[in-house]
Every structure is written in structure tokens, then in C-alpha cells.
Amino acid sequence: MNDHDALLADLAALDPAHAEGPPPPGSPRDRQILETAMTPTDPTARRPRRALALVAGGIAATVLAIGLVLALDSTGDRPDPAAALATAADETARIDSLRVHGTYRDADGTARTLDADVVGRDARLRTGDGGWTIVVGDQVWSAEDPEPVTVPDEERNVAFPDASRAVIRAALRGATVVDLGEERAAGVDAVHYRIELGTPGVDALRELAPNQVAMFELENPDAVRSLDVWVADDLIRRVDLRFGPEAGGTESVSLEYRDLGADLAIRPPS
């Protein structure tokens, strides 16, 4: 016997079947071997790990989908945007006093500022170029004319909180309101809403009196491109308007509402 034959003999000795020989015909072992050979193979039986992987992948996809839904629902439990703005407009109208800082930008890049202390229909206004105006009752003083001038009721601005309610309520008619999330506005954390004006809203703004829209420079509502409002504690904190070229030069208006309900007094100049 050569080396090759010896190796084969050694390997054969390790095979239990070779050592024992084939089972006798008709024996239990013989029947078991025949049954196993004749039983069809289940194609799914050999892929348990793949099945588990698919289940795990499905669970992961479901969790991811839930996470995406939660991430997209950034509004949380906040009320309907249009309802929130309507409430803020009404609540702001109940405030008797506040301070307003306005920034007006023209299409040529020029910026004008206005600061106003407001108590009812009385106001003390200061412009960035040093001008000032004081309104007490129907008397108006200005830097250009230190002598008081009597102004008819329809020519005096209505109370600023009332004007704000009129503008927001009108703009909400037929509008789409979008909740843009939380931001800082006028020094507080507020919710930013965007009013996408509809035709009914433009028509309603057009019907407002000039003394209701003067500080918003809304004499031409058709020119409004966007109207954004920031609300905190059910009160308006900021209003931004952007205009198209048909506005006649004004590109944007930004009004910040501060010190709502503050103890202010407006007196004639001394």
C-alpha cells in the first residue's frame, strides 16, 4: 500500500457511516434515511436570519416614520394659526398703552425709523431724523410748528392697538395662515405666523379708513406681498409687511410692540 492509499484509509476510518457500514434494508435507520431523502425541501426554512432581518428593518422603518411625523409637527399643541392671530388681535386691542418701534425701508435702500409712546389715541412720536409730534386729544404739536393745531377726529390716528386689530382681522379674511415656529421678537419668545392674503382680505384692508392704516403704510393693500405677525402670551409683538413696486416706494414696514400695558403719560410739550 502506498502513502496515498494509506491516507484514504485513515480518512475513511473517521466516517461513522463507513465504519458501521450501510444499515440493513428495512431497519429503522434505513427507513429514516429514505424518508429524509424523499421529503421536499422547504425553501423558506433555510432563511430564518433573512426573515428576522426583514422584520427588524420594518420596525426600524416604522420608528423612523414616526420620528419624521413628530419632527414635522413642530406646532405641538398650539392652536389653529388663524384662530391664534384673531385672539391676539382682540387681546392686543384691550391694551391701552404701549411703545412701538417702527422701521420703514424704501426700495432705494433708505431706512426711516419711528418710536412712539401710545396711550389711547394720545401719542408721542419721534423720528430718526430728530423730528417729533405730540398728540393730546385733538391738539397736535410738532417740531415744525410748536403752536398746537386742532385736528378733526377723522384725521387723527385711531388708538394703535385698535388699528392693529382692524388690520389683522381684515387680513385674515379668506387668508391662509402658516405657523413658522418660535422666534425672538421685540425681546420675547414668540410664535411667527405668516398671513398669505386672499382677495377677501385685500378688499377688507382697502375698506379701512386712512387713520387705521397710516402707521402700517397700507394705503395700497394690492401691493402687499407678505404679512408676518409674531405673537407671545396672546399679544401681538411684531408686524412685518413687504410690498411690491406698486406700493410707491415703500419696500417694507416692521413694527415692534413693547412695554404693553406700561404706565405711560402723554403730555403737551412744555
Side-chain angles (χ1 to χ4, degrees):
M1 176 183 296
N2 57 33
D3 293 341
H4 179 69
D5 293 336
L7 178 60
L8 290 177
D10 292 339
L11 291 174
L14 297 175
D15 183 0
H18 176 79
E20 297 175 0
S27 67
R29 175 62 177 161
D30 181 62
R31 289 195 301 270
Q32 182 181 14
I33 293 172
L34 290 175
E35 289 175 2
T36 302
M38 296 175 66
T39 301
T41 302
D42 182 358
T44 65
R46 300 193 179 192
R47 293 185 292 176
R49 293 183 180 274
R50 175 61 174 168
L52 288 174
L54 290 174
V55 171
I59 294 173
T62 302
V63 172
L64 177 61
I66 294 173
L68 287 175
V69 171
L70 293 175
L72 291 173
D73 183 18
S74 61
T75 62
D77 296 328
R78 290 201 291 270
D80 172 76
L85 280 185
T87 297
D90 293 342
E91 292 299 317
T92 301
R94 295 188 175 95
I95 300 296
D96 186 59
S97 62
L98 75 162
R99 290 188 170 96
V100 183
H101 175 72
T103 302
Y104 302 81
R105 297 188 182 279
D106 295 336
D108 62 2
T110 304
R112 297 166 282 127
T113 61
L114 175 71
D115 288 282
D117 296 344
V118 178
V119 179
R121 297 187 71 176
D122 295 347
R124 178 171 50 246
L125 303 97
R126 300 172 300 280
T127 58
D129 59 3
W132 58 268
T133 301
I134 295 177
V135 181
V136 179
D138 62 356
Q139 302 293 297
V140 178
W141 294 261
S142 67
E144 292 79 15
D145 189 355
E147 293 298 319
V149 176
T150 301
V151 178
D153 182 75
E154 65 274 11
E155 294 183 14
R156 288 188 294 128
N157 288 346
V158 302
F160 187 76
D162 289 332
S164 300
R165 175 176 57 182
V167 167
I168 300 303
R169 279 286 193 175
L172 285 174
R173 297 186 188 179
T176 298
V177 184
V178 182
D179 184 330
L180 296 179
E182 296 184 2
E183 297 177 5
R184 295 286 291 179
V188 299
D189 293 327
V191 180
H192 180 187
Y193 298 100
R194 175 161 295 162
I195 301 175
E196 298 175 357
L197 286 171
T199 300
V202 174
D203 292 341
L205 288 171
R206 193 181 295 112
E207 293 173 0
L208 296 180
N211 62 352
Q212 290 179 297
V213 300
M215 286 193 69
F216 299 88
E217 297 202 357
L218 262 170
E219 291 80 5
N220 184 5
D222 293 283
V224 177
R225 292 292 174 267
S226 65
L227 200 170
D228 291 38
V229 184
W230 286 258
V231 173
D233 301 323
D234 288 336
L235 294 171
I236 297 172
R237 300 297 180 146
R238 176 176 166 183
V239 174
D240 278 13
L241 298 106
R242 296 191 67 84
F243 302 94
E246 60 270 40
T250 302
E251 182 178 76
S252 67
V253 173
S254 180
L255 299 168
E256 291 188 345
Y257 301 46
R258 295 177 178 267
D259 300 328
L260 287 82
D263 184 13
L264 303 176
I266 310 299
R267 298 182 178 87
S270 55

